[in-house]
Amino acid sequence: MPKLGVNIDHIATLRQQRKIGYPSIIEAAKIVESCGAHQVTVHLREDRRHIQDEDVLQLKKILKIPFNLEMSLNNEIVEFALKVKPDEVCIVPERRQELTTEGGLDLEKNYKRVKSVVSQLKQRGIIVSLFIEPEIKSVLLAKELGADAVELHTGRYSLCKVGTKKFYFELNRIKKASKIVIEQGLILNAGHGLDYNNVKYISIIKGMNTLNIGFSIVARAVFVGLEKAIKEMLKLVTV
Ligand code: PXP
């Protein structure tokens, strides 16, 4: 049964609009826990546009369920993660101007740096995941680099209208890559852009471990509340 990691970045996005302390990321994390979701995920971006260092420190202190920190290969952030020691780190590519994480890591180009960061994090007992495109080549490189897990980028899939030819093409890419992930003995996670319409095709993929979902849940929470939004997603994920 797949697990749901709730990404609460966009609670912080809203908070940062006014910078007067609410809505509280800690209150959100407690709701994630009480709903029975399996993990809290946040992305500490280099530009600190939503999650702040202090959020990460507080979450580490209060969370009873696993804490997954998404981060780039930036030296200062890697040092911070090594100090904080979240349960899991997902290494992602990052560009300042992007609205959200575009594309997976280029493991060939960043080979040496990724290898070194993976090794440092693992030495601290942190589970290390690499955010990659659903491509066989990237899965094999992730294995070679010593990652424990990969998170397959579902962004391209999520942009397709459910049921179209393009949708099934992208779904197939994810299924093929997933098979290799399992064959390589890596933990299989996926995320980005998943919503209430497109998630169920991904959650039934054999061996799927965790789906990290943020924007669609927070957007739905605006109308129905965070608790209901998470519980609705949990039903679709835990099939
Ligand atoms: N997984 C990773 C690695 C991400 O970078 C993000 C976005 O921060 C997500 C999952 C969540 O994506 P979304 O907010 O579109 O659900």
Side-chain angles (χ1 to χ4, degrees):
M1 193 176 80
K3 292 176 271 191
L4 173 64
V6 181
N7 180 315
I8 55 175
D9 289 351
H10 298 302
I11 304 282
T13 301
L14 188 57
R15 182 194 61 194
Q16 294 308 103
Q17 287 298 306
R18 287 287 170 95
K19 298 196 173 80
I20 50 174
Y22 69 86
S24 155
I25 218 72
I26 298 304
E27 211 175 319
K30 285 182 178 165
I31 293 173
V32 173
E33 279 186 334
S34 71
C35 288
H38 307 91
Q39 173 171 282
V40 167
T41 296
V42 298
H43 184 172
L44 183 67
R45 292 189 74 101
E46 291 165 30
D47 62 10
R48 308 298 198 272
R49 67 173 73 157
H50 40 53
I51 294 296
Q52 308 296 307
D53 299 40
E54 187 55 29
D55 295 325
V56 175
L57 294 170
Q58 289 299 320
L59 286 167
K60 166 72 186 175
K61 234 188 247 170
I62 65 115
L63 277 176
K64 296 184 194 85
I65 58 174
F67 180 26
N68 174 37
L69 178 66
E70 297 171 359
M71 58 171 219
S72 71
L73 292 163
N74 172 283
N75 205 31
E76 176 225 344
I77 299 213
V78 171
E79 288 304 317
F80 181 65
L82 288 168
K83 246 194 284 163
V84 175
K85 204 172 170 288
D87 300 286
E88 186 162 340
V89 158
C90 181
I91 304 175
V92 303
E94 208 174 294
R95 267 178 287 148
R96 289 261 161 151
Q97 303 309 325
E98 67 190 358
L99 287 177
T100 181
T101 318
E102 291 166 356
L105 282 164
D106 185 339
L107 295 179
E108 252 169 349
K109 195 170 140 206
N110 299 294
Y111 194 93
K112 266 195 173 161
R113 176 71 181 146
V114 174
K115 193 164 189 170
S116 149
V117 173
V118 168
S119 155
Q120 290 176 65
L121 292 166
K122 282 180 74 169
Q123 274 173 38
R124 284 284 285 150
I126 300 168
I127 299 168
V128 184
S129 176
L130 301 178
F131 192 42
I132 57 169
E133 284 298 313
E135 289 163 352
I136 293 167
K137 190 175 86 178
S138 299
V139 176
L140 298 178
L141 276 170
K143 175 72 181 178
E144 201 178 295
L145 285 160
D148 301 295
V150 294
E151 181 167 332
L152 298 181
H153 195 310
T154 52
R156 265 168 68 174
Y157 161 83
S158 297
L159 289 174
C160 300
K161 191 166 182 279
V162 173
T164 58
K165 228 171 139 181
K166 199 157 178 291
F167 169 84
Y168 284 110
F169 175 79
E170 291 299 335
L171 178 59
N172 240 345
R173 279 179 77 219
I174 296 169
K175 283 184 179 169
K176 277 189 197 156
S178 297
K179 196 164 167 274
I180 310 295
V181 174
I182 299 297
E183 278 172 18
Q184 292 296 314
L186 294 164
I187 299 168
L188 171 64
N189 302 326
H192 207 283
L194 295 175
D195 63 28
Y196 296 85
N197 291 317
N198 62 29
V199 72
K200 60 178 186 274
Y201 305 87
I202 302 295
S203 49
I204 58 172
I205 292 175
K206 211 167 159 230
M208 189 55 73
N209 182 65
T210 300
L211 299 181
N212 286 305
I213 308 178
F215 187 78
S216 61
I217 293 176
V218 175
R220 178 127 182 88
V222 172
F223 299 111
V224 302
L226 189 56
E227 188 178 330
K228 191 161 190 291
I230 293 170
K231 285 185 174 166
E232 285 177 0
M233 189 58 88
L234 260 173
K235 260 194 204 154
L236 295 168
V237 168
T238 55
V239 283

